[in-house]
Amino acid sequence: MGCASKAILRNEKINYKVREHSLAKMPVLLVVGRKEASERTVSIRRLGSEKSETMPLDVALAALADEAVPPDVARMKKAA
């Protein structure tokens, strides 16, 4: 299964972009606006959720990297 990432730089309202990607079944949407960029944070919205969570960029990247590890590989790492 591949990873799809895409920077959306079009001049459209954020709600339109979120809806467009929700319909495309993107599992995770990372949103960085002016406020997030100045604070080095990212807003994360998951498919099927109306809520978004804002967190520091480094924390968000570490959490997403952990989630990307298949369960059998994660168990092997814990056993080692």
Side-chain angles (χ1 to χ4, degrees), residues 6-24 26 29-32 45:
K6 186 176 181 182
I8 307 300
L9 304 175
R10 299 184 311 255
N11 189 19
E12 295 167 342
K13 300 283 184 187
I14 188 67
N15 289 339
Y16 175 81
K17 294 176 187 178
V18 168
R19 177 169 164 68
E20 181 179 48
H21 285 82
S22 293
L23 292 173
M26 290 294 217
L29 196 63
L30 301 178
V31 180
V32 179
R45 184 175 184 154

Side-chain angles (χ1 to χ4, degrees), residues 3-80:
C3 175
S5 68
K6 186 176 181 182
I8 307 300
L9 304 175
R10 299 184 311 255
N11 189 19
E12 295 167 342
K13 300 283 184 187
I14 188 67
N15 289 339
Y16 175 81
K17 294 176 187 178
V18 168
R19 177 169 164 68
E20 181 179 48
H21 285 82
S22 293
L23 292 173
K25 307 267 188 220
M26 290 294 217
V28 179
L29 196 63
L30 301 178
V31 180
V32 179
R34 285 187 182 113
K35 179 182 174 188
E36 289 87 1
S38 68
E39 296 175 355
R40 296 207 37 89
T41 60
V42 62
S43 289
I44 298 178
R45 184 175 184 154
R46 296 187 180 276
L47 182 63
S49 175
E50 295 288 323
K51 297 179 182 180
S52 64
E53 181 181 0
T54 302
M55 60 180 63
L57 179 61
D58 57 339
V59 172
L61 293 175
L64 290 170
D66 285 344
E67 288 178 29
V69 177
D72 58 334
V73 174
R75 281 192 296 268
M76 288 177 18
K77 284 184 179 180
K78 287 181 183 179

